[in-house]
Amino acid sequence: LERRLVAHMASARTDVTAADLDEAEALLTRSRALRDEVVKLLKYYQFGIDEVSTKIHILRQEFESIHDYSPIEHVRTRLKSAESLLEKSLRRGVALEIPAIRAEIRDIAGIRVTCSFVSDVYWIAQMLSAQPDLRLLQTKDYIAHPKPNGYRSLHLIVEVPVFLSQHVEQVPVEVQIRTIAMDFWASVEHKLSYKYRSAMPAHLAAELDDAARVATELDARMGRLRDEVRPPTVEIVP
Ligand code: GTP
Ligand code: MG
């Protein structure tokens, strides 16, 4: 069907040659093969998400059994679709080959962890980074260094081994760890910047800027309250 469509569209041109048609067909075959390979690749990344999710789940369960609250509010995972991966590769000028795509695009697998307190954000990051089978490829601390628009979050890229029947795949997974306040701000900012694309009206940018300041202040206050209710770390036994 695709070939017939291409031939049909090409036939509307008067200057089309047999060589043009051959070339179009070859390109079509290559692009379909690439898409099939990408779909296969995405399976590995889903396994990577599963591995890191389990690690986070275990840390959460263990923490809950020791302390009287959960360090994690919720965890969300997402796998880039083949379409959006290919679209990003094109946009970034990445060579359309699997090794180049794997090397250049490191947010194919994503996990977002939302915590109540800033201290828990760093705790999760530390615990993950310390695991000997995980390799920390990158840390971006937008909490210590917020983006100019006010965005705050801790981003890690960790590489996790996925054990398959015939070989081991090293899969990078982007882990975004943030507080509820940071997440709330980021979700509103995301909607607004999606709506206004590049041209955010100045008064909205100013509102967002102010909201970011309030979110930071809220995190600081909640942190102080947490310190009040937290039991002393050292028990004094008479
Ligand atoms: P990509 O655009 O994904 O290639 O990211 P990058 O290489 O610039 O990395 P960075 O760690 O800065 O951002 C990765 C992800 O963090 C994004 O895909 C978003 O999910 C999130 N993020 C980064 N900056 C912002 C921001 O200003 N607002 C919101 N809402 N999310 C952001
Ligand atoms: Mg991204």
Side-chain angles (χ1 to χ4, degrees):
L1 175 67
E2 266 176 314
R3 262 172 64 192
R4 270 165 51 205
L5 280 172
V6 170
H8 177 78
M9 287 185 284
S11 70
R13 281 175 49 186
T14 50
D15 57 342
V16 74
T17 65
D20 287 338
L21 282 175
D22 285 349
E23 196 189 329
E25 193 181 326
L27 286 173
L28 207 59
T29 306
R30 262 175 57 203
S31 79
R32 264 186 249 139
L34 177 67
R35 197 188 175 285
D36 289 349
E37 280 183 81
V38 164
V39 168
K40 249 183 251 162
L41 180 71
L42 289 179
K43 292 220 183 356
Y44 298 155
Y45 283 76
Q46 181 59 53
F47 299 149
I49 289 178
D50 296 343
E51 290 286 358
V52 179
S53 293
T54 300
K55 288 173 176 296
I56 292 168
H57 182 70
I58 290 172
L59 286 170
R60 178 189 199 164
Q61 299 290 316
E62 190 215 22
F63 189 103
E64 282 175 11
S65 72
I66 296 171
H67 305 275
D68 48 5
Y69 81 97
S70 175
I72 293 170
E73 287 300 321
H74 48 260
V75 178
R76 265 177 51 195
T77 64
R78 77 105 183 82
L79 181 68
K80 251 196 204 324
S81 65
E83 282 68 28
S84 101
L85 178 53
L86 287 168
E87 185 276 322
K88 184 170 182 175
S89 305
L90 278 174
R91 183 159 40 87
R92 293 278 168 102
V94 176
L96 292 177
E97 294 149 7
I98 295 297
I101 293 174
R102 296 190 68 162
E104 301 291 327
I105 314 288
R106 297 207 289 189
D107 63 347
I108 298 173
I111 301 187
R112 185 173 291 156
V113 182
T114 311
C115 302
S116 292
F117 303 108
V118 178
S119 52
D120 296 330
V121 169
Y122 287 105
W123 184 82
I124 302 279
Q126 255 175 33
M127 291 300 122
L128 284 180
S129 312
Q131 300 198 356
D133 56 340
L134 281 190
R135 202 152 73 91
L136 186 62
L137 298 183
Q138 186 186 78
T139 304
K140 285 190 190 169
D141 189 347
Y142 294 126
I143 300 176
H145 308 285
K147 286 183 123 174
N149 64 358
Y151 177 78
R152 291 186 308 138
S153 222
L154 183 63
H155 295 182
L156 311 180
I157 296 175
V158 294
E159 193 176 59
V160 66
V162 169
F163 296 90
L164 299 158
S165 59
Q166 306 297 320
H167 71 291
V168 181
E169 277 293 326
Q170 299 293 338
V171 178
V173 177
E174 182 187 81
V175 187
Q176 299 182 352
I177 319 171
R178 47 171 78 153
T179 62
I180 301 171
M182 294 173 198
D183 191 51
F184 192 11
W185 184 92
S187 72
V188 173
E189 190 274 346
H190 180 74
K191 285 179 196 111
L192 282 175
S193 53
Y194 186 79
K195 178 168 174 183
Y196 291 102
R197 301 285 169 173
S198 54
M200 171 109 57
H203 72 282
L204 290 181
E207 277 286 355
L208 270 177
D209 189 62
D210 197 48
R213 199 186 45 71
V214 173
T216 305
E217 171 56 20
L218 183 61
D219 277 333
R221 281 192 181 202
M222 290 305 185
R224 289 194 292 272
L225 289 173
R226 175 187 179 275
D227 290 343
E228 280 302 314
V229 296
R230 192 174 47 180
T233 38
V234 181
E235 299 261 321
I236 298 160
V237 182

